[in-house]
Amino acid sequence: MENLVNMQPLSPVRTTNGNPSSSPASSPLKPRYGDRFIPARAGNTWHLTYPTSPTNQTAESSRPITPYNHKKARDNAENNKDGSIVYSSLLKNEVLGYQYEDNKEINPIERKLSPNRKLFHFDASERSVVMNEPWSPYSLSPISSKSEKLLRSPKKPTRRISKVPFKVLDAPELQDDFYLNLVDWSSQNVLSVGLGTCVYLWSACTSQVTRLCDLAQTDDTVTSVAWNERGSLVAVGTQAGLVQVWDAAAGKQVSTLHGHTARVGAIAWNGDLLSSGSRDRFINQKDIRTSPAIQERQLVGHRQEVCGLKWSPDNQYLASGGNDNRLYVWNLHSTSPIQSYTEHLAAVKAIAWSPHHHGLLASGGGTADRCIRFWNTLTNQPMQCIDTGSQVCNLAWSKHSSELVSTHGYSQNQILVWKYPSLQQVAKLTGHSYRVLYLAMSPDGAAIVTGAGDETLRFWNIFSKSQTKSIMSSLNLHTSIR
């Protein structure tokens, strides 16, 4: 107590009558604000004077927020953020002499900043030396021509990929086997799925499910399915090494191809030419229009099971991946590979040809590799490579943009969307509790379906549909009036 009595003020000041007085900062009753007058509003009751919500809330407004309301609130927040950025750019034009004319010209740093950022808080990289343009006294607009163009410029739509599937189907007995290919989507919008001994067809238009075939009588199981380009025939590979061709519309078996001595895990169509890869290390090719007596052509190169097959968009080259960590490229005339890639360190099942870059091939490695590699098959040279951190199970290119989707197994069980050639990750989708071993794309290229050992099929909207315009011809009598 004695020390407190003898304590002196830090800086004596003089009052109006000339006598020294204690500093206001030393008073225990008044807080210290510094050299400026800043009123204290801590005691104000703003919530009583200006209520933030109506007092007569109805039962409708007190209901919990649904997932749809969450999405709507998120969209509104994005729109408000974009509006704040445009408004900030407009003020820069009018006050500081900037000359933004288009939303694309706005500094990318500005877009990353919070919309609540102070307008006049800049760093050296943002300063502009451009002066305001002369203002015309005859102008009817209160803003400059640059700002008018800014407000009229179209806003680039924001890319939003839903993190949840729009449909989930049960798929009992969907095998958790890395070397099988049990899901495919036809050009007629019908999904074929191999479940145990049966192949089921699910129509995306009517959601009707039909059973195409049952191999239980022959004590066999389904190991792969693949539609032809027209979507009328589906090839079914079996554990016994057979390849059955079925007419989906009639529900009848068209033919059976013999030649393999082990399970057929990969099938690829090229018109009427059917290619099949087996655990016996061989790739067989057969034109289904020919007589059964004609021998199949056999491609020899892999030393272990063939688990991936894909034809190029021009139908001239066949890419194959095997459990021997090899990626081969074949043509229509040779029985030995014309190109061989050995950089992968694990089994190569994921294979995809780019529909946008001629000769560009993408492949993914298994658990010991985890990489997606890109190859220029025109020059036989490796290109880019990215480590995904997980087993790569499937790859598929977007039909309308230079993007790539990959599905993964150990240990993330995720779905990734990549932008090519920057290899920037666009989206990450999760939901499967097992390895995402199966992937197929819808005929319009907008959606994908994924399957896993958790016995579910999940449908995702990840790509935008093609904005193609139909070309009208004056010679077409059915579409024009003469």
Side-chain angles (χ1 to χ4, degrees), residues 288-341:
I288 63 172
R289 300 170 298 179
T290 61
S291 171
I294 299 178
Q295 291 289 334
E296 298 178 345
R297 188 172 65 158
Q298 196 169 75
L299 309 183
V300 182
H302 286 284
R303 299 179 180 179
Q304 293 189 38
E305 180 173 6
V306 179
C307 49
L309 285 178
K310 285 293 172 61
W311 280 97
S312 61
D314 58 3
N315 293 329
Q316 298 299 311
Y317 300 97
L318 175 67
S320 66
N323 197 36
D324 54 0
N325 309 345
R326 302 296 179 90
L327 174 66
Y328 291 142
V329 177
W330 320 71
N331 61 18
L332 286 170
H333 309 291
S334 67
T335 56
S336 58
I338 61 174
Q339 293 181 9
S340 175
Y341 302 101

Side-chain angles (χ1 to χ4, degrees), residues 34 50 196 224 242 244 281 358 389:
Y50 303 101
S224 57
L242 302 178
Q244 301 179 359
R281 310 186 307 272
H358 182 59

Side-chain angles (χ1 to χ4, degrees), residues 156-161 401 403 417 419 426 462-464:
K156 185 178 180 180
T158 304
R159 174 79 177 276
R160 296 186 181 93
I161 298 178
S401 62
E403 292 182 338
V417 182
K419 195 171 206 48
V426 179
I462 60 173
F463 297 124
S464 59

Side-chain angles (χ1 to χ4, degrees), residues 350-379:
I351 302 173
W353 291 89
S354 171
H356 313 291
H357 306 85
H358 182 59
L360 177 61
L361 177 63
S363 60
T367 307
D369 184 77
R370 305 182 305 273
C371 292
I372 300 177
R373 298 180 181 272
F374 298 86
W375 318 92
N376 186 345
T377 60
L378 301 180
T379 61

Side-chain angles (χ1 to χ4, degrees), residues 209-220:
V209 179
T210 58
R211 187 173 64 182
L212 179 65
C213 64
D214 189 354
L215 308 180
Q217 296 180 354
T218 59
D219 196 22
D220 205 351

Side-chain angles (χ1 to χ4, degrees), residues 383-429:
M383 299 174 65
Q384 295 167 276
C385 174
I386 183 171
D387 189 347
T388 65
S390 298
Q391 176 189 43
V392 184
C393 301
N394 291 280
L395 291 173
W397 288 89
S398 170
K399 296 182 178 181
H400 313 301
S401 62
S402 189
E403 292 182 338
L404 185 74
V405 58
S406 60
T407 67
H408 300 268
Y410 301 125
S411 58
Q412 301 297 325
N413 303 332
Q414 59 190 358
I415 304 162
L416 301 178
V417 182
W418 309 87
K419 195 171 206 48
Y420 184 84
S422 64
L423 297 184
Q424 177 185 358
Q425 190 179 121
V426 179
K428 179 194 297 185
L429 309 176

